Amino acid sequence: MCGFEIVDLFAGPGGLDVAAHCLGIPVTGIELDDDACATRAAFAEAKDGDGPRMITKPGDVRDFDPLDYKTANVLAAGPPCQTFSVAGKGTGRRNLDQVTAFIRRMAEEEDVTKELDDLADVRTGLVLEPLKWVLARKNNNPFEVVILEQVPAVLPVWKEMVAVLEKLDYHADAQILYTEDYGVPQTRKRAVLIARKKGGVNFPESTHQRYRKGHPPVAAKDHPKKLAPWVSMGEVLKRGSFTIVSNYGSGRDPKNRGRRDHTKPAFTVTGKVGRNKIIGPDGRDLGRLDEREAGLLQTFPRDYPWRGKDVQQQIGNAIPPLLAAHILITALGLPARRRGAVLGYNGF
């Protein structure tokens, strides 16, 4: 054991848990969706007796008391992103000023629960639940480490929380991370907040080259920082030569579907990943990505036990386990001797 225990809000199907399991860290995940809970339970059952415990608490995060999780010294959360995501209607983005104002009021110990419940889309207010948990324990067994992850549009919210956390004697910062920088075979940007009671805050160093359209990767020995080439879809899916045609338009033109061939990372894996077309070199339709393949692009293990309905939505909502591993290792300051096995992990 490494001395850490995580309580994970909005835990989803277990993206963080795969990483925590590799690191030997027990996790209690709170999750509302029945299907995601079923997936988590299947993973926990498969790993029963092999590594740290993984517990799932089904239900609404708002109905749980932070003081009931006294042994958890790490708070992690990936709140629902639909109202902030560029793929959604953007309600949360339009309400950023209102949400950041709520943060300042919460820091002054105002009860804003009723106002959050009255928002046009209550999911927007869920991004503030992690702060409620921090504030509830600020004078009673405070969390040693806080890790929050969301879509890039939420960075202003995280920055506002950083200011509050610093007043609570945390060292805190928030940055945008690119998943392909860490060996994830897709381009996906995430806003990540890390706060620590002891020691400064660092973010994981890149291990792979960033994808840039029109700029092929170079061999690690030729890269200025000796970074490995990005991990491509072809390396993971092993389908031979193919091209992915995105379900989303590019350049704000819905008819201009983005295209990437097998030598490149995938587009961001969303809950609609199954709508992406796969085209062979001869133009032949090769079908769609199945659940296992979509999971692989997120770095879930090949045999991950997906359960329930709308598995693609579960996959798209999850944090890639490999990215989570990098974040946990750095945020928790785990010793170098424990890094090798985890950073060698992949779901392929």
Side-chain angles (χ1 to χ4, degrees), residues 8-331:
D8 185 13
L9 314 183
F10 314 102
L16 183 87
D17 301 271
V18 172
H21 186 271
C22 291
L23 290 164
I25 305 171
V27 180
T28 297
I30 299 174
E31 173 56 44
L32 178 63
D33 182 73
D34 291 339
D35 296 325
C37 287
T39 296
R40 294 174 56 82
F43 176 69
E45 182 179 0
K47 297 299 181 182
D48 187 30
D50 177 21
R53 62 175 173 78
M54 173 181 160
I55 296 173
T56 298
K57 297 287 187 179
D60 190 324
V61 167
R62 294 172 294 182
D63 296 333
F64 290 81
D65 186 346
L67 299 181
D68 289 339
Y69 297 85
K70 298 177 182 178
T71 59
N73 53 9
V74 178
L75 175 68
C81 69
Q82 289 89 342
T83 64
F84 294 93
S85 173
V86 295
K89 295 182 179 179
T91 306
R93 296 196 305 278
R94 291 192 294 272
N95 289 338
L96 278 175
D97 289 343
Q98 184 180 22
V99 170
T100 52
F102 279 133
I103 291 173
R104 293 189 288 271
R105 292 171 58 192
M106 290 167 65
E108 297 298 323
E109 300 187 355
E110 285 191 47
D111 185 356
V112 298
T113 303
K114 179 63 167 59
E115 292 173 78
L116 292 177
D117 290 342
D118 288 341
L119 289 175
D121 192 324
V122 296
R123 293 176 299 179
T124 299
L126 293 178
V127 76
L128 302 179
E129 286 301 308
L131 181 59
K132 285 186 181 180
W133 280 60
V134 171
L135 294 172
R137 285 181 44 170
K138 67 178 183 178
N139 297 319
N140 185 356
N141 188 27
F143 292 104
E144 296 177 22
V145 180
V146 179
I147 301 168
L148 308 181
E149 174 262 351
Q150 247 274 18
V151 294
V154 180
L155 187 63
V157 176
W158 287 171
K159 290 289 189 181
E160 195 69 39
M161 285 193 189
V162 163
V164 174
L165 290 165
E166 288 177 336
K167 292 179 180 179
L168 298 176
D169 296 324
Y170 284 92
H171 303 272
D173 196 6
Q175 295 184 11
I176 300 294
L177 300 185
Y178 293 72
T179 57
E180 74 269 28
D181 288 3
Y182 305 100
V184 178
Q186 68 170 295
T187 53
R188 185 186 190 101
K189 294 190 290 186
R190 307 307 286 175
V192 176
L193 180 153
I194 298 175
R196 291 167 50 93
K197 274 290 186 180
K198 298 178 181 178
V201 171
N202 294 307
F203 285 79
E205 295 183 0
S206 300
T207 56
H208 291 70
Q209 296 166 39
R210 186 167 303 171
Y211 171 74
R212 290 181 173 85
K213 186 177 181 179
H215 296 273
V218 300
K221 64 182 179 61
D222 298 324
H223 190 274
K225 296 183 179 179
K226 307 304 179 187
L227 299 180
W230 64 61
V231 178
S232 71
M233 292 183 284
E235 293 175 71
V236 176
L237 300 183
K238 306 186 187 308
R239 274 178 169 255
S241 298
F242 63 88
T243 296
I244 290 281
V245 182
S246 173
N247 180 52
Y248 297 100
S250 59
R252 298 184 179 181
D253 180 358
K255 296 181 180 179
N256 184 22
R257 308 290 185 183
R259 291 173 174 259
R260 288 187 189 171
D261 67 38
H262 65 281
T263 66
K264 300 175 177 63
F267 296 103
T268 300
V269 174
T270 71
K272 308 301 182 185
V273 64
R275 296 182 182 179
N276 295 347
K277 294 181 180 180
I278 307 173
I279 306 296
D282 57 358
R284 184 164 51 94
D285 189 338
L286 300 179
R288 304 292 187 269
L289 294 171
D290 60 28
E291 295 167 355
R292 178 183 58 83
E293 291 176 316
L296 287 173
L297 294 177
Q298 280 277 61
T299 67
F300 279 94
R302 184 176 294 274
D303 60 352
Y304 202 68
W306 301 105
R307 297 288 187 272
K309 302 175 182 177
D310 205 356
V311 168
Q312 291 182 354
Q313 190 66 54
Q314 293 183 50
I315 295 170
N317 288 347
I319 182 172
L322 189 53
L323 175 63
H326 281 272
I327 293 171
L328 285 173
I329 288 168
T330 304

